[in-house]
Structures are given as C-alpha cells and as structure tokens.
Amino acid sequence: MAMTGLLRAFLLAVAVAAPLCGAVQASERGARAEAFVAALTGEALAVIADKTMKPDTRHRRFAELLYRDFDLHWIGRFVLGRNWRAAEDDQRAEYLALFAETIVFTYSRRFEAYDGQMVRVTGHREGKRKKYVFVFSEIYDPEGAGPVISLTWRLFAEGEGFKIADVAIEGVSMGIAQRNEYASVIQRNGGRVDALIAAMRTNLERLRADG
Amino acid sequence: MRAIATGSPSGRFAAGRAGSLLRGAALACFVSLAGCATAPDRPIEGAADPLEGVNRAVFALNDGFDRAVLRPVAYAYKEAVPGAIRQAFGNFLRWLRSPVILANDLLQGDLEQAGVTASRFAINGLTVGLADMARDFGLRHRDEDFGQTLGVHGAGEGFYLVLPLLGPSSLRDAAGTAVDAFFLDPLNRIRAEEAGWRLAAARRGAEGVDFRALYFEEVDDLRASSLDYYARVRSIYLQQRRAAIHNGAPPLDESLPDLSEEFDLPAFGGGEKAWAETAPPDEGTPREEGAAAEIVEPEPEAAETAAAPPAAAPPAAEAGEAPPAPAEDTQIAAAPARGVHLASYRSRADAMKGWRVLSGKYPDDLGPYEPEAIRTETGVGLFTRLYTAVGAPEPALSRLRDRIRAGGDYAAILAVPADGMGGRWR
C-alpha cells in the first residue's frame, strides 16, 4: 500500500510538472524574445542617433542589423503573397534582392528626423500555435512631450535566437500593408510580377537618389 | 476624423426644424446601411473596395489638395510656431473632442474609459485643454468615434471609401462621422445658423493642419516610398481602424492572423536552396481557388475502389472520366508507403490549388496531413498526383478515404512511389 501511495505521488508529481515544464519553457522563450528586441532596438538607436557617423557607414550598419535580425526572405515572400507561386525562379531572386534593398532605404530615410526618442519593451505573448512570439514595445519621448507609439514585433525562433517576421506600428502591420500594396500593383498590371519588379526598380532608384 | 463641413445653403436648411427631420432620416439610412455591413474584416486578403475607380479619383484630388494647400500650410505652421505652442494647440483640439469621446465610450459600454475621459476633461479643463496634465496622472487620451462604436457592436467596415477632403473612410466610418457631427458633438449644435457650421469647419480644418504638421515627414515619406500610394493608405487606414476598435490592442491571433495557419513554412536553415524550394502556400479561401483548380482525372483505381468514383470535387472544376488506371502501382517494388490519392492534375501548381480546396472542405480530416504532389507517368500521360497521409497506418488511411468519399469526393488508397519523376513537393 505504501508503495502504491508513493507511486501515485510520483505520478502526480510528474503529471503536474510536465505542463509546468512547458510553461516555464514558454516564459523563458518570451523573456529571451524580449531581450532580443531590446537588444536590436538599442543597437538600431545607437546607429541612428550617432550623428558623427558618416551617412554611408550608418546606412551600411543599419542594413547589417536588418539582414541579421529580420528574416527578409520570409517577409519578402509573405509580401508577395500568392504571386510568389506564379513567379519564376529568376523573378523571385530579383524580387527578393530588390525587396531587401527597398526596406533598407525606406527606413534609413527617417534617420535625419530622429529626435531623441527611445524604445522600451513592455511585454510579450506567445502566439496561438506556439510558432510565433509577440513582443510589445513603445517608442516614447524621454522629455515626456510627444505621443507614445506602440510597436508590436512578431518573432519566430531560429536556432538559438529569433528572426523578425513583422512589425506593427499602433496595430498597423507593415508586412500586411506592403502585401496589400504589392498585390494591388500586380493586379492593376494584369497579374504580371514583372510589372511589380519594374516598379520596385524605379522606386528604389528614386529612393537612392533622394539620399 | 474630420467631420462634415458644410457652409452651404443645405447647411442652413438643415439647421431649421425640417432640417432635423432630414438629419434623422439621413442618420437612419446611414446607420441601417452600416449595420448591414457585417462582412468580416480581412486585412490579409485586402480590402473590399468596389468603388475603387471613384475612390482613386477622389484620392488623387485629395492628394492634389494636400500638395497645393494642406502641406504648405502645415509647413508654415511647423516652421513659424514653436513646438510647445503647437503641442498646446493640439491638446486643446483633443480636449474639445471630449464630449464626443465620452458619448462613444458610454455607447460602447466602456464605463472605465468613460471615467478616464471624464476625468481628463475635468483636469485638463483647468487650463482650457491647453496643458495635458491628466497624462501625468496616467490618464491617456484615447480617441473614440461613432464608427468605432459601430465596430465594437459588430459592424464590419462595409467597404472602403475615400471622402473628399476628409480622406480615407469606409461605409461604416462615414456614417459614424455623420452621427458624431450631427448628433453627438455639442459644439456643432451651436445654433448660430451659419456661424455654427463655419465654426465646425474651422475646427476640422485646424485638426487637419495639426495632424499634417505632426506627421509631416511621415506622410511625405509614405508618398515617396510607395509603389501604390492609394493601396498603401487604404491598407493602413483599415488596419488602423481595426486596431482602434480593439483599443490599440487588437487580438493578435485574429486581426493580425496567426500566419502559421496559412504559411506552414518548414524551419529555415537550409540556406538559399531551402527557400527556393519551399514556397509559402497560396492564401485566399479554398472556395475561391476552386474554380481555377483543374482536376484532370480522378483516376478510378480498379484494385481499390468497389464502385466508380463520383465526379470531380471542387464545384466549378471539370472532371474528366479517365479510363481505369493501369496497374502500375501494383508493379512497384515491395512495401512502398501507402497514402490516399485524392486526384490527379496537370501541374504541381494545380495540385496545390486542389489541395487548398479539399483541405478547406475537409479541415478536420485533412488538417493533420501534408499534401504530396508526385509526377507520375500513367497510361494516359504524365500527371501530377495529389496524395496525402503517406505512410500513415492503414486504419487512418481507410478512415480518411471513407470520410472523403462520404463527402462526395474521390479518394483511394494507393501505394506511393518512393521516387516519383520530378521529385516530391511538400
């Protein structure tokens, strides 16, 4: 009888511990995800805020961060949406290259307007299927004056670290916005991916020229 | 959102007694229409925009107005007026919206937020709204309008609308703006005839300039870096409204759908080759894709089927009645994996479309399984066969086959060749 009692206690302990293990694992992942975002935003702000850096260098450093922490291939495919399947291999390759550069140039345009804002991470949440982790953060003005802007990051685990799949500003997903836009461009050009690629090329040149 | 600004004769008319009847009728029309707009919002698929032609034209006009008038005014405002004063003026404009916000808080049943709004109104009222002291007490400004109220009560956006001067909106939100302006905003009820409307117009104009000045570079950047500025703004607007209805914290798994549902991408780490070979599956509802999927021949497999299989599954696809499949499967080397053959197609792409249709029709049965498209030389030509549940235990295969047959579609358990010509797509 004592043995059965012991066995029962052991089984109970295991049964309870098992879900707890999962929970501990999840929150540990969440904490790592928050640290990941905090580190990235810290590095990015350091690059942006450094007025002594030459524009070329700053642009290059920013691009490095982007390529390192964002899964640009995944995002590019998501943005292209259903048209990815219709695209040929060489179209896909060119699209992804243009996409990555467009992202870098689009966001690095805003460097000049930087005005001392900071970013703080405020929390996280696991996605429904445990595939994604959402990290919540805010852009705020340390002076206290301007509006507080919420940034939500969607991450998935890659090896020991993470990759960013999407960023939402005040609930507006940048990935979805771009996806809707590219779908519209393709649709208005008879469903041709080539038309999108041409438009991206023109746009990129313009962004480059603007400096 | 800026409200209706009419300094026109109809405005004066509306101010009279007959006018209130007119406004009541207009309200009833708008609200009932907005109530009918319960289509679920679909940010991933893109907006419902049946009036796209008209909308683009109005959008172009608005953009012209922005370049010609609003932007220069905002620029002058930004350059000439110190930031602190602009901040104070912005605070004042937001403070003026308190009654409308409070009314909508209550209409949404959000008593807690109503308390916040009322407190903000009182505290900031000490400085006539110029200083946002309530914020230091942790009471943050949260704008509400009747469009959001309708959204909270389940009204979908209806469809996208671009309003002249007022900019992006939707059927629901335009109705909401009208309700706010005509009914909920006490400031618009100043019955000084024309002066009342002029005041409302001036206020809305000021809000426009304030907004434009605050987001001066952002709007310019957006315009410059967009391939399709109209489509970009449309997506941003509709997403932003959804977020606002959920008060800035949209339930992430719905409004920003958990993408793993649509994108079951395998883990990365294979480098260039991996992403080249693994493409994200199609989005879009299976039923929409059904029309495009060509089922070439659901092959009756003589060895497996007792009765002839029914015609092709997706409603709009055509089914060819193929001759009985040759017995090539039984000639394959001993003990190959077995799977459920669902149909055959001309191409891999079609096979995947077919998978989308079928897995949409049988989400519970097919959900756990992956599709496999295998190029197979049959007696009648080279086709791409769609298999699933390859290697699953026999009881599972039988159950799956029976369930699909019960749904009126073809399914057969076949041996799956280990090396189909052209490789497998997963």
Side-chain angles (χ1 to χ4, degrees):
Chain A
M1 293 305 126
M3 285 299 280
T4 332
L6 212 63
L7 188 66
R8 208 176 290 161
F10 172 74
L11 286 174
L12 187 66
V14 169
V16 169
L20 272 185
C21 276
V24 165
Q25 211 172 44
S27 69
E28 187 256 335
R29 185 166 88 131
R32 281 192 300 120
E34 288 191 29
F36 174 83
V37 171
L40 168 64
T41 52
E43 283 185 73
L45 284 177
V47 169
I48 295 170
D50 189 345
K51 302 287 185 192
T52 67
M53 222 186 278
K54 285 215 298 279
D56 281 352
T57 320
R58 197 167 33 207
H59 182 96
R60 192 171 41 79
R61 293 277 294 275
F62 188 71
E64 279 166 13
L65 287 177
L66 226 60
Y67 277 93
R68 184 191 73 192
D69 286 345
F70 285 70
D71 195 330
L72 290 173
H73 282 167
W74 191 99
I75 297 172
R77 284 153 48 190
F78 171 69
V79 165
L80 193 55
R82 68 186 71 200
N83 296 289
W84 175 267
R85 302 195 51 81
E88 305 292 332
D89 276 344
D90 52 347
Q91 283 179 317
R92 292 177 181 182
E94 186 174 7
Y95 163 77
L96 283 177
L98 286 170
F99 180 80
E101 283 213 70
T102 303
I103 295 283
V104 173
F105 274 95
T106 303
Y107 288 97
S108 62
R109 275 169 68 91
R110 303 288 300 121
F111 288 175
E112 300 309 313
Y114 178 68
D115 200 19
Q117 288 90 354
M118 314 259 289
V119 179
R120 62 174 161 233
V121 173
T122 54
H124 72 275
R125 224 192 74 179
E126 292 275 344
K128 224 193 312 200
R129 287 254 207 100
K130 299 282 177 267
K131 193 160 192 160
Y132 299 98
V133 182
F134 298 96
V135 174
F136 307 109
S137 66
E138 294 181 332
I139 302 176
Y140 67 99
D141 192 340
E143 309 287 307
V148 173
I149 299 173
S150 75
L151 280 185
T152 305
W153 307 78
R154 178 191 289 258
L155 280 56
F156 55 76
E158 159 124 332
E160 290 299 318
F162 297 92
K163 288 278 186 181
I164 296 170
D166 193 23
V167 184
I169 303 178
E170 291 283 312
V172 178
S173 156
M174 296 292 100
I176 291 177
Q178 211 163 351
R179 174 180 161 129
N180 292 158
E181 182 191 5
Y182 282 19
S184 178
V185 172
I186 292 176
Q187 188 225 330
R188 286 165 65 77
N189 281 286
R192 287 176 13 246
V193 178
D194 274 333
L196 173 71
I197 290 176
M200 287 173 80
R201 257 191 240 122
T202 316
N203 190 49
L204 193 58
E205 270 162 38
R206 194 174 52 210
L207 288 174
R208 267 198 247 260
D210 283 351
Chain B
M1 204 49 62
R2 292 165 272 179
I4 312 280
T6 50
S8 62
S10 65
R12 278 193 296 251
F13 175 74
R17 198 177 308 159
S20 66
L21 204 69
L22 186 74
R23 283 180 304 173
L27 171 67
C29 272
F30 273 131
V31 171
S32 64
L33 277 176
C36 288
T38 48
D41 301 329
R42 313 171 298 160
I44 280 241
E45 310 314 318
D49 195 1
L51 302 177
E52 183 164 342
V54 174
N55 282 339
R56 280 189 183 264
V58 178
F59 187 80
L61 282 174
N62 287 345
D63 193 41
F65 176 77
D66 180 72
R67 286 181 213 255
V69 180
L70 186 59
R71 189 178 180 278
V73 171
Y75 184 76
Y77 178 57
K78 205 165 70 80
E79 296 299 305
V81 179
I85 298 183
R86 282 185 278 128
Q87 178 76 37
F89 189 58
N91 290 339
F92 172 67
L93 288 174
R94 276 182 286 280
W95 181 75
L96 286 181
R97 273 192 64 79
S98 304
V100 174
I101 296 174
L102 180 63
N104 281 301
D105 285 334
L106 293 169
L107 287 170
Q108 290 174 27
D110 194 347
L111 296 176
E112 189 187 332
Q113 188 62 27
V116 170
T117 304
S119 307
R120 281 183 55 83
F121 183 66
I123 295 172
N124 291 343
L126 296 173
T127 56
V128 200
L130 291 170
D132 191 355
M133 299 189 299
R135 187 159 142 187
D136 299 332
F137 289 91
L139 303 169
R140 300 228 292 234
H141 173 83
R142 198 175 84 195
D143 199 88
E144 293 289 341
D145 54 72
F146 196 69
Q148 288 182 54
T149 301
L150 287 173
V152 164
H153 289 293
E157 65 225 2
F159 51 80
Y160 184 62
L161 256 188
V162 180
L163 301 176
L165 290 187
L166 302 177
S169 184
S170 64
L171 181 63
R172 174 194 64 203
D173 297 334
T177 306
V179 170
D180 282 334
F182 285 109
F183 290 91
L184 293 178
D185 198 342
L187 292 163
N188 288 357
R189 292 175 152 267
I190 297 171
R191 292 202 174 272
E193 295 287 318
E194 236 175 86
W197 293 110
R198 293 256 177 88
L199 202 65
R203 192 173 135 208
R204 298 304 178 246
E207 285 175 354
V209 174
D210 176 63
F211 177 88
R212 189 65 174 89
L214 194 60
Y215 295 106
F216 193 78
E217 287 96 4
E218 283 84 344
V219 176
D220 283 353
D221 273 346
L222 197 64
R223 185 158 47 197
S225 66
S226 293
L227 300 184
D228 186 337
Y229 184 38
Y230 168 87
R232 181 80 81 102
V233 169
R234 177 179 63 192
S235 178
I236 289 174
Y237 172 77
L238 291 171
Q239 286 190 65
Q240 191 237 328
R241 290 299 287 173
R242 291 180 107 247
I245 286 165
H246 292 101
N247 296 324
L252 289 159
D253 293 319
E254 295 158 35
S255 67
L256 221 130
D258 192 354
L259 299 173
S260 56
E261 296 286 340
E262 301 177 336
F263 270 70
D264 222 342
L265 297 175
F268 279 83
E272 298 293 293
K273 199 112 197 332
W275 67 252
E277 282 169 354
T278 60
D282 253 341
E283 306 70 40
T285 61
R287 273 155 207 94
E288 283 165 21
E289 299 287 344
E294 285 182 328
I295 289 198
V296 173
E297 29 100 42
E299 291 177 357
E301 176 54 53
E304 286 296 304
T305 63
E318 3 176 299
E321 281 296 301
E328 84 269 20
D329 288 325
T330 60
Q331 289 166 1
I332 287 172
R338 284 158 66 77
V340 177
H341 175 224
L342 295 170
S344 298
Y345 302 86
R346 284 205 187 89
S347 71
R348 200 172 287 179
D350 287 337
M352 288 309 118
K353 280 185 188 154
W355 171 257
R356 220 84 53 223
V357 174
L358 288 168
S359 56
K361 187 171 174 183
Y362 302 96
D364 297 318
D365 300 312
L366 291 176
Y369 299 113
E370 296 294 313
E372 291 201 26
I374 301 183
R375 310 265 307 153
T376 314
E377 181 71 47
T378 72
V380 292
L382 187 63
F383 291 109
T384 300
R385 282 188 177 174
L386 177 66
Y387 292 91
T388 190
V390 178
E394 283 297 317
L397 291 179
S398 304
R399 190 173 49 230
L400 183 60
R401 177 200 54 199
D402 295 337
R403 293 286 281 271
I404 294 178
R405 292 244 190 103
D409 297 312
Y410 165 76
I413 300 174
L414 300 180
V416 179
D419 298 301
M421 289 168 51
R424 291 151 75 132
W425 184 96
R426 186 176 292 275

